[in-house]
Amino acid sequence: MSETIQPKATIVIFGATGDLANRKLYPSIYRLYKSGKLDENFSVIGLARRGWNNDIIREKVEKSIQGLIPEDEDVSEFISHFYYKSFDVTSTDSYKDLKYMVESLEQDYHTDGNRLFYLAMAPDFFGTIANQLKNHGLKETSGWTRLVIEKPFGHDLASAKKLNKELQAAFDENQIYRIDHYLGKEMVQNIEVIRFANGIFEHLWNNRFINNIQVTSSETLGVEERAHYYDTSGATRDMIQNHMLQMVALLAMEPPINLSTEEIRSEKIKVLRALRTIKEEKVSEYFVRGQYGAGKINGQEVIGYQDEAEELKDSATETFVAGKLVIDNYRWAGVPFYIRTGKRMKEKSTKIVVEFKDIPMNLYYKKDDLRNPNLLVINIQPNEGITLHLNAKKTGNGNLTEPIQLAYHQDSESGINTPEAYEKLLYDSMLGDATNFTHWDEVALSWEFVDRILASWSNKKADFPNYESGSMGPKAANELLERDGFHWWPE
């Protein structure tokens, strides 16, 4: 069994007082530390505008990991690795002080000059920070330097290109790690393994044996405290441009030559290039948008999107998107990929359903409406696992059949502690493994695809709200599949 690699590093978090750092980054660093995936020689520098000090950030970190600490465990050694500096990202003096602080901690903790800069803040400052880090010598070190960036990466293709130009003026592409936290989820990473390690699936993974593939990511939550951000983003930018298209790329890619970052990315990029371009006047034939109104979630009355905040009144921002993707290549010609995502829906779930074609002459089903097709269901969250839907003989006399399920649930495995997506991605970024991060070419192709959809919608008035909270979206999303003779699974 191979020995776990324990990277040494100074981790610098821009936006250390924010929600992301508190909910995801601090707990992830603690889990890496506890699982032996982080060397004892590490330090974390938190940067933000607030007037905190070392004592305050350590107190905040301890509070953020409270639910992970075994009873009576002393975490004083762990939190002693955290430091804080009040910081203005536009100030030259701030970067001079940061350089001195980083170099001092590198001597104290013997981190071999390895530096991870994590930008957990508003994307407006990404370019500024990257160039200031370079200009003040923070990029130059005896070890490695990496820049981790949260989404959104731009607001459209033009702004993404501008941001990328700013970043690449300071850092090389192989130093830039664009986070898509869906790629850190265990079952998303399992898509490749399910396909390429099982002949039973990969031999059937084409247009001769598959009817359609569906990817659904639904939330029961509304916009909560993110009203301003969400109203400038919407479901298309928030979910389709990144998470949903990334999952489609993994499902549709060709087997790579090997499992290196470069080869896997190359195959994903080919899928995105093969996506059929949708002309603006044809968007309504392929995509449906929606916005939630009032309704019930788990028996509780909830308000509609436009009533969530004063600034959302009469908003035309979509909180739901369903679409039909067509991949024009040899493997997938004629197989629709359906995607849907939305807020305030019936259930919180992310799943992939692969519907296989029926056999040419099914002796056990005389009527089409009684047939139960074979399905492969990959549950990303919750209840991570895989379910294969088959048909078997019904107990008793006669030739009646019934659907059965062969299921594997990852969280039911004894001893498995599925790592959080951020924990996995943080570790990968310190190891220098960029496989589960998005390359610029993937970002650009995704924006190019969704920009046409957004442009079409911007020229048409939306009749919102058009679905009740607690439902699975507008009726038009069901009609999208019905036109092709399909329906969403499960019904």
Side-chain angles (χ1 to χ4, degrees):
M1 192 168 176
S2 60
E3 191 176 331
T4 301
I5 301 173
Q6 296 177 305
K8 302 176 180 181
T10 300
I11 304 169
V12 181
I13 300 175
F14 289 81
T17 60
D19 185 58
L20 175 65
N22 183 61
R23 288 191 306 109
K24 298 294 184 182
L25 302 186
Y26 300 149
S28 293
I29 294 170
Y30 173 73
R31 281 191 293 264
L32 289 173
Y33 175 80
K34 285 293 292 179
S35 62
K37 290 183 177 177
L38 190 59
D39 194 277
E40 292 283 345
N41 293 325
F42 81 95
S43 64
V44 180
I45 301 173
L47 305 175
R49 281 187 173 275
R50 293 186 192 177
W52 287 8
N53 55 31
N54 293 346
D55 291 336
I56 294 176
I57 194 170
R58 290 169 185 174
E59 180 186 322
K60 298 289 185 182
V61 169
E62 184 172 2
K63 188 176 180 181
S64 76
I65 64 173
Q66 205 61 51
L68 305 173
I69 304 172
E71 194 173 345
D72 300 327
E73 179 178 319
D74 183 5
V75 294
S76 57
E77 169 59 28
F78 171 72
I79 64 174
S80 71
H81 291 254
F82 285 75
Y83 299 83
Y84 184 82
K85 175 173 172 49
S86 185
F87 199 84
D88 178 356
V89 297
T90 62
S91 165
T92 297
D93 289 339
S94 287
Y95 291 92
K96 289 178 181 176
D97 294 343
L98 176 61
K99 186 170 190 281
Y100 175 78
M101 189 176 186
V102 168
E103 290 173 347
S104 297
L105 289 174
E106 283 176 341
Q107 289 184 358
D108 293 344
Y109 288 95
H110 310 291
T111 55
D112 297 339
N114 298 328
R115 300 173 184 176
L116 185 76
F117 297 102
Y118 198 114
L119 276 53
M121 59 186 303
D124 305 356
F125 298 108
F126 288 174
T128 300
I129 294 169
N131 282 279
Q132 290 278 31
L133 290 173
K134 180 187 177 183
N135 294 340
H136 288 88
L138 280 149
K139 178 189 164 187
E140 304 307 320
T141 172
S142 58
W144 49 256
T145 305
R146 291 169 194 142
L147 187 71
V148 181
I149 297 172
E150 277 288 331
K151 77 174 184 84
F153 196 93
H155 189 72
D156 52 20
L157 181 58
S159 60
K161 282 181 175 178
K162 180 176 180 292
L163 172 57
N164 196 59
K165 187 176 180 181
E166 292 173 353
L167 293 176
Q168 292 195 335
F171 286 79
D172 299 331
E173 174 64 29
N174 63 9
Q175 294 177 305
I176 301 170
Y177 287 68
R178 300 173 188 84
I179 283 248
D180 183 329
H181 72 268
Y182 266 56
L183 295 182
K185 292 181 182 293
E186 196 73 13
M187 288 309 299
V188 171
Q189 295 181 5
N190 233 328
I191 292 170
E192 294 172 56
V193 182
I194 292 166
R195 284 190 55 191
F196 303 135
N198 295 287
I200 189 176
F201 296 131
E202 183 54 25
H203 295 323
L204 306 178
W205 213 261
N206 55 61
N207 51 15
R208 287 183 297 155
F209 299 103
I210 291 177
N211 252 343
N212 68 84
I213 295 179
Q214 303 175 14
V215 184
T216 297
S217 183
S218 58
E219 294 182 72
T220 55
L221 292 175
V223 291
E224 310 305 310
E225 305 300 319
R226 302 170 70 218
H228 176 71
Y229 161 75
Y230 197 87
D231 204 50
T232 59
S233 170
T236 310
R237 292 185 175 94
D238 191 44
M239 291 292 296
I240 302 293
Q241 185 271 334
N242 36 71
H243 307 324
M244 305 299 280
L245 288 182
Q246 281 293 317
M247 285 192 282
V248 168
L250 288 169
L251 288 162
M253 65 187 272
E254 293 296 318
I257 296 169
N258 55 50
L259 296 178
S260 68
T261 298
E262 293 74 18
E263 294 302 333
I264 291 173
R265 280 177 163 178
S266 174
E267 297 304 335
K268 286 165 63 185
I269 288 167
K270 287 177 187 175
V271 172
L272 296 174
R273 282 181 180 152
L275 276 177
R276 181 178 296 175
T277 299
I278 304 173
K279 294 180 181 178
E280 283 188 36
E281 63 271 19
K282 296 283 189 180
V283 165
S284 60
E285 296 176 21
Y286 289 86
F287 274 83
V288 170
R289 57 177 164 163
Q291 186 189 94
Y292 65 84
K296 285 187 177 181
I297 300 283
N298 299 324
Q300 299 292 317
E301 297 279 352
V302 294
I303 58 176
Y305 178 76
Q306 296 182 17
D307 297 317
E308 297 270 18
E310 185 63 34
E311 62 191 286
L312 303 183
K313 188 173 176 57
D314 299 324
S315 171
T317 297
E318 78 284 355
T319 63
F320 173 96
V321 179
K324 172 184 173 181
L325 307 181
V326 180
I327 299 171
D328 290 323
N329 64 17
Y330 186 81
R331 181 185 289 259
W332 295 114
V335 179
F337 282 68
Y338 300 108
I339 58 175
R340 64 174 168 173
T341 182
K343 290 189 170 294
R344 284 280 187 238
M345 294 175 72
K346 183 179 179 181
E347 60 182 6
K348 177 180 172 60
S349 174
T350 300
K351 68 172 61 176
I352 295 160
V353 180
V354 180
E355 179 182 330
F356 293 95
K357 290 181 177 179
D358 197 4
I359 55 179
M361 182 177 160
N362 196 321
L363 300 175
Y364 293 92
Y365 291 101
K366 304 301 182 188
K367 296 181 179 178
D368 285 346
D369 60 349
L370 295 178
R371 293 186 180 186
N372 294 294
N374 297 139
L375 305 174
L376 174 66
V377 180
I378 304 172
N379 287 302
I380 309 296
Q381 64 178 16
N383 306 320
E384 298 174 335
I386 312 159
T387 304
L388 185 60
H389 294 241
L390 303 174
N391 293 305
K393 183 179 181 299
K394 201 167 189 176
T395 305
N397 298 324
N399 290 324
L400 295 177
T401 66
E402 63 180 345
I404 62 169
Q405 298 180 11
L406 303 180
Y408 160 76
H409 296 293
Q410 181 140 327
D411 56 5
S412 69
E413 279 288 289
S414 176
I416 282 186
N417 178 20
T418 304
E420 282 278 337
Y422 276 92
E423 177 187 342
K424 177 80 170 74
L425 294 174
L426 261 177
Y427 186 58
D428 284 352
S429 64
M430 287 188 279
L431 292 180
D433 183 354
T435 306
N436 296 307
F437 295 81
T438 49
H439 187 275
W440 162 243
D441 289 348
E442 297 172 66
V443 174
L445 287 165
S446 298
W447 273 125
E448 189 176 347
F449 181 78
V450 304
D451 271 0
R452 289 188 179 88
I453 299 164
L454 292 166
S456 171
W457 287 343
S458 68
N459 294 324
K460 294 177 183 175
K461 187 174 180 358
D463 185 18
F464 289 158
N466 62 352
Y467 72 96
E468 286 185 10
S469 291
S471 70
M472 286 304 286
K475 291 178 181 177
N478 296 329
E479 294 165 0
L480 185 69
L481 274 69
E482 288 168 4
R483 289 201 296 265
D484 296 332
F486 304 124
H487 60 78
W488 292 105
W489 294 100
E491 288 181 284

